[in-house]
Amino acid sequence: MTRIIETIEEMREWSASLRAEGKTIGYVPTMGYLHEGHLALVAEAHRVSDVVVMSIFVNPTQFGPNEDFDSYPRDLPRDAALAADAGVDCIFAPSTEEMYPADGGIRIVPGPIAQQMCGASRPTHFDGVLQVLLKLFNIVSPTDAFFGLKDAQQVAVVETFVRDFNVPVRIHRVPIVRERDGLAKSSRNVHLTEQERKEAPAIYRALQAGKEALETGMSPHEVKRQVATEIERDTSGTIDYVELLDYPSLGEPTEDRERILACAVQFPTVRLIDNVIIKGSEQR
Ligand code: PAF
């Protein structure tokens, strides 16, 4: 039976009682409209924790003024059924009023790691992500928290924040889950038109081809150009960025260290992101 908690007070009390029993709490933060990517996070949380808590909250502070906050897909009964099947012990599903009763104007400013890639076109996105995550960590009080690598920049920003601010939670990276044709699973995929859905797997194909080209000696500049050209040729989307950076610092890439080849593609109503990680020569 999955317990559904809507208030901060009840969530805190339940968490404190579990902690008092010596239980570890694995936490999966989500914005709902669950798919297999979220369920992979739950499976990993089960593997390392005694109890699994999932939050479902579409966080307004991480959306820009002209972004898809209002149209973001929401269906709590559907999510609750999927979470129950996956063995989630508790869903924390607060209202916006519960999470943000007042705004004192204090913000977390994540710095350069949040300014390129998605941060370049969504300048306040990661401020909002860290704001809500700090609140959620303080409410759920997890021992471990699980994040999908589709949002690889988010993982890098959260890991850096947790390290720099000594937030007492262990962060776990979970690999991307893909559709059979390669498209990375995302709650936003439901908003793709039939034609866009047919085109979208080209994004992963282009990234994979870019990774292979890089590994066989093509220059980073040429690789980025090739990825952008293939996506522009095979989809009707507009490239927001194609980046090749060190991972997870998101600094200058070097061959000996892990790198990320990542892109964002804007379709009329959906923005898709995807990435591949390339092992450094030191790790092969
Ligand atoms: O990745 C997401 O779904 C969100 O950014 C998160 C981590 C739940 C914060 O709102």
Side-chain angles (χ1 to χ4, degrees):
M1 195 38 198
T2 304
R3 172 195 289 249
I4 300 190
I5 293 181
E6 293 178 351
T7 68
I8 293 171
E9 193 185 353
E10 190 186 344
M11 187 66 239
R12 278 217 166 110
E13 277 170 10
W14 195 59
S15 231
S17 68
L18 293 168
R19 291 280 203 146
E21 287 169 33
K23 299 232 162 80
T24 55
I25 302 175
Y27 172 46
V28 178
T30 82
M31 298 205 299
Y33 217 74
L34 303 181
H35 51 71
E36 283 89 339
H38 297 114
L39 302 180
L41 302 180
V42 171
E44 187 57 13
H46 272 305
R47 206 178 61 75
V48 300
S49 333
D50 298 325
V51 175
V52 175
V53 176
M54 170 187 278
S55 61
I56 297 182
F57 178 64
V58 184
N59 172 39
T61 70
Q62 67 190 72
F63 288 81
N66 299 315
E67 294 182 357
D68 58 349
F69 174 70
D70 289 333
S71 61
Y72 197 88
R74 294 162 169 88
D75 189 342
L76 187 57
R78 169 189 176 278
D79 287 345
L82 287 169
D85 282 352
V88 170
D89 297 284
C90 169
I91 294 175
F92 177 52
S95 64
T96 305
E97 296 69 37
E98 179 72 7
M99 286 297 280
Y100 295 108
D103 181 3
I106 296 175
R107 298 288 179 270
I108 301 163
V109 182
I113 196 166
Q115 279 161 11
Q116 70 286 61
M117 289 173 58
C118 289
S121 49
R122 306 185 74 192
T124 57
H125 172 66
F126 292 109
D127 308 20
V129 169
L130 292 185
Q131 178 185 23
V132 78
L133 282 177
L134 183 58
K135 287 164 75 70
L136 289 164
F137 288 157
N138 284 334
I139 296 164
V140 175
S141 193
T143 20
D144 298 83
F146 299 81
F147 291 84
L149 276 168
K150 184 176 78 66
D151 298 306
Q153 186 175 13
Q154 172 169 275
V155 174
V157 171
V158 172
E159 284 177 353
T160 306
F161 173 65
V162 162
R163 183 200 65 199
D164 288 1
F165 286 79
N166 307 96
V167 183
V169 59
R170 280 186 295 262
I171 302 299
H172 298 253
R173 302 176 183 178
V174 179
I176 298 177
V177 180
R178 298 184 178 280
E179 303 285 354
R180 289 164 74 93
D181 59 14
L183 175 63
K185 300 243 184 200
S186 163
S187 306
R188 290 186 167 98
N189 289 350
V190 290
H191 287 322
L192 291 169
T193 65
E194 208 178 313
Q195 176 58 27
E196 289 162 355
R197 176 65 189 83
K198 277 192 197 137
E199 297 167 2
I203 297 171
Y204 181 49
R205 279 202 304 276
L207 288 171
Q208 271 186 309
K211 178 178 180 217
E212 276 162 33
L214 193 70
E215 283 166 346
T216 51
M218 191 184 271
S219 75
H221 179 73
E222 277 303 309
V223 167
K224 288 195 276 180
R225 204 163 65 187
Q226 174 185 299
V227 172
T229 306
E230 287 184 16
I231 293 173
E232 274 164 355
R233 183 192 64 204
D234 296 341
T235 80
S236 52
T238 310
I239 305 270
D240 179 8
Y241 66 81
V242 176
E243 274 296 0
L244 177 69
L245 294 167
D246 181 81
Y247 193 77
S249 76
L250 305 188
E252 276 304 303
T254 56
E255 258 178 52
D256 48 335
R257 288 171 46 86
E258 195 154 85
R259 287 166 289 176
I260 184 167
L261 178 60
C263 67
V265 182
Q266 182 70 57
F267 290 90
T269 60
V270 189
R271 184 172 178 279
L272 296 183
I273 57 172
D274 201 352
N275 69 79
V276 291
I277 304 271
I278 299 136
K279 285 207 184 321
S281 52
E282 278 175 359
Q283 298 152 316
R284 279 185 218 136

